Amino acid sequence: MGLITTRPRGTEDVLPQDTAAWQFLVDAARRHCSRFGYYEIRTPTFEHTELYHRGVGETTDIVEKEMYTFKDRGGRDITLRPEGTASVVRAFLEHSLGQAGLPVRVFYVEPMFRYERPQGGRLREHTQFGVECIGAAGPLADAEVIELGYEFLTGLGLRNIEVQLNSIGCPVCRPGYRAALVDYLRGHVDELCEDCQARLDRNPLRVLDCKREGCRAVTAKAPRATDYLCDDCRSHFDEVQQLLASLGIPFTLNPRLVRGLDYYTRTVFEMVHGGLGAQNAVCSGGRYDGLAAELGGPPTPGIGFGLGLERLLLTLRNERIPLPEPPAPDVMVAVAAEGPGAPELQQKAMVLARDLRRAGVAADVDVMGRSLKAQLRYANKQGIRYVAVLGEEEAASGEVSLRDMTAGTQRRLSVAALVDMFKGRRGPLAGKRGG
Ligand SMILES: [Zn+2]
Ligand SMILES: [Zn+2]
């Protein structure tokens, strides 16, 4: 057997130098949601496979070819969560969350698993930040969820965020649209790709979001769902647009935005970042008024979105938006002794580091038994600005020699003064080499 030193395809390690940016993003999402009165929910990493067959849909790419499905040792069909909404609605029904009052507003930050081709930044395990507003049928909820996503992205410093909007109607008006669409597509069936030819019968709306050029040329002139809306869907869609306008959220209508399944209704949206080069959807969501009933619960409307954090992080980095780096310790306790006195001083250094940590100061201490010179080199590499050197003389007088590695200065001070100096310095944005 060879060494096992590579991770599975489509997975990522978040390395120590990247976790501060990662944590910052998750904290930002949590703070932002609490401002909107959304509470965090955590659902299991795996669910019964049946949940996704019913709650995502048999004819979707996710269920057809992307799920991590297996039998557990008890012979149950289990699937690693490929998306967040089905689990949240399942939990909403299982725990009767609506009894405490509607709407139920929740968010999650959780890993999702899809067996995708790992290209273009797609991962087989990725982390999604999502929100769901369950129980509100009217356009106010649509506007709130879109506002939450839009304000989150722009609040991080992203410009050029464009909300794209569509309405795919409801069980009353969609059959008419679907028939008109199929009728149109049948006239161009030879120009469609193989996938779309197969979709024509099973899930014709999905042809609209095919990325192939031939299909896009056909669908550019296809009938639009918004031309077939019933009166209720029409006024819902109009009101969503009016609300977005009054909230100052720019949007465009995109007739290609669809969800191919019956329990998706009315509003569908994406948030697209138009940075350098290609446009890039960073957030997508929509209304799913038929989902709760599909899972066997009482009919309950809902709307939400999902936002991939790995892709968002990439977008922030591409836009050179400053992200926090892992803070170096405030101070390193170094030992200036070699020979017989060293072990005793090392003990004292450990105790001093403990006292600093108890006072809330981030302190490093040598555990390699290195020379002072090597310890200073280490501090430098780690970006630790201050080194408290403990020698025989300092130890005898309850002091340290504090070196400022940036200024190149050194002074003696008491241990109490050292603790005072660093107390309360730790902030969430304390940067490496920060002084
Ligand atoms: Zn309708
Ligand atoms: Zn196609």
Side-chain angles (χ1 to χ4, degrees), residues 102-118:
L102 293 174
V104 168
R105 293 173 162 117
V106 293
F107 74 95
Y108 56 82
V109 179
E110 287 177 326
M112 307 292 160
F113 304 86
R114 291 184 199 174
Y115 194 79
E116 294 192 277
R117 273 164 172 246

Side-chain angles (χ1 to χ4, degrees), residues 41-44 46-48 51 85-99 104 134 291-292 295-298 300:
I41 187 168
R42 298 191 185 197
T43 59
F46 56 86
E47 298 265 7
H48 296 296
L51 175 68
T85 304
S87 295
V88 170
V89 174
R90 194 265 310 137
F92 168 86
L93 295 171
E94 183 168 351
H95 304 283
S96 305
L97 293 181
Q99 280 181 0
V104 168
I134 302 174
L291 177 55
L295 299 182
T300 313

Side-chain angles (χ1 to χ4, degrees), residues 169-170 173 230 233:
C170 69
C173 55
C230 63
C233 287

Side-chain angles (χ1 to χ4, degrees), residues 192-197 199 207 210-212 214-216:
L192 298 175
C193 73
E194 248 175 66
D195 284 347
C196 285
Q197 289 179 1
R199 282 172 186 143
V207 176
C210 181
K211 303 283 183 278
R212 286 173 211 248
C215 300
R216 288 185 77 85

Side-chain angles (χ1 to χ4, degrees), residues 11 13 15 35 49 54 99 136 170 176 193 220-221 247 254-255 277 284 295 317 328 390:
T11 61
D13 295 310
L15 300 175
R35 247 177 250 147
T49 300
R54 287 166 62 178
Q99 280 181 0
C170 69
C193 73
K221 287 169 228 141
L247 290 167
N254 179 356
S284 65
L295 299 182
R317 290 202 197 284
L390 197 62

Side-chain angles (χ1 to χ4, degrees), residues 126-159:
H126 80 281
T127 310
Q128 219 172 81
F129 158 44
V131 310
E132 314 290 353
C133 177
I134 302 174
L140 292 167
D142 306 42
E144 177 178 279
V145 165
I146 293 171
E147 179 201 346
L148 195 161
Y150 180 80
E151 294 284 313
F152 175 65
L153 293 171
T154 52
L156 290 171
L158 281 179
R159 291 172 201 188

Side-chain angles (χ1 to χ4, degrees), residues 89-355:
V89 174
R90 194 265 310 137
F92 168 86
L93 295 171
E94 183 168 351
H95 304 283
S96 305
L97 293 181
Q99 280 181 0
L102 293 174
V104 168
R105 293 173 162 117
V106 293
F107 74 95
Y108 56 82
V109 179
E110 287 177 326
M112 307 292 160
F113 304 86
R114 291 184 199 174
Y115 194 79
E116 294 192 277
R117 273 164 172 246
Q119 58 186 17
R122 284 171 187 275
L123 293 168
R124 290 180 175 174
E125 178 183 10
H126 80 281
T127 310
Q128 219 172 81
F129 158 44
V131 310
E132 314 290 353
C133 177
I134 302 174
L140 292 167
D142 306 42
E144 177 178 279
V145 165
I146 293 171
E147 179 201 346
L148 195 161
Y150 180 80
E151 294 284 313
F152 175 65
L153 293 171
T154 52
L156 290 171
L158 281 179
R159 291 172 201 188
N160 307 322
I161 293 292
E162 184 185 83
V163 177
Q164 299 190 349
L165 206 60
N166 195 19
S167 175
I168 54 170
C170 69
V172 172
C173 55
R174 194 167 333 137
Y177 171 60
R178 189 185 153 118
L181 179 65
V182 171
D183 202 42
Y184 169 82
L185 293 174
R186 285 215 187 288
H188 299 269
V189 69
D190 296 339
E191 299 155 59
L192 298 175
C193 73
E194 248 175 66
D195 284 347
C196 285
Q197 289 179 1
R199 282 172 186 143
L200 202 50
D201 294 314
R202 302 167 57 216
N203 199 342
L205 268 71
R206 287 284 321 282
V207 176
L208 294 172
D209 68 355
C210 181
K211 303 283 183 278
R212 286 173 211 248
E213 235 167 78
C215 300
R216 288 185 77 85
V218 171
T219 53
K221 287 169 228 141
R224 299 180 167 204
T226 45
D227 292 333
Y228 290 79
L229 299 179
C230 63
D231 288 348
D232 286 349
C233 287
R234 177 83 259 159
S235 66
H236 183 102
F237 194 44
D238 288 345
E239 280 176 59
V240 171
Q241 293 176 59
Q242 281 163 26
L243 286 162
L244 294 183
S246 67
L247 290 167
I249 298 171
F251 63 89
T252 55
L253 301 186
N254 179 356
R256 288 182 190 279
L257 281 185
V258 290
R259 296 283 188 280
L261 299 158
D262 286 346
Y263 49 77
Y264 287 110
T265 47
R266 296 185 172 168
T267 310
V268 186
F269 63 90
E270 274 187 359
M271 292 182 203
V272 172
H273 178 252
L276 301 166
Q279 291 216 324
N280 188 1
V282 287
C283 170
S284 65
R287 185 165 269 291
Y288 45 82
D289 291 352
L291 177 55
E294 185 68 32
L295 299 182
T300 313
I303 181 165
F305 69 69
L307 190 159
L309 287 185
E310 285 84 357
R311 182 179 283 194
L312 176 59
L313 199 57
L314 206 66
T315 306
L316 293 169
R317 290 202 197 284
N318 287 343
E319 291 297 300
R320 303 188 187 289
I321 289 169
L323 293 163
E325 290 183 47
D330 299 312
V331 60
M332 171 173 166
V333 182
V335 179
E338 281 162 68
E344 202 191 321
L345 272 179
Q346 280 163 347
Q347 276 182 25
K348 287 191 169 145
M350 292 288 280
V351 171
L352 174 53
R354 182 202 64 186
D355 291 344

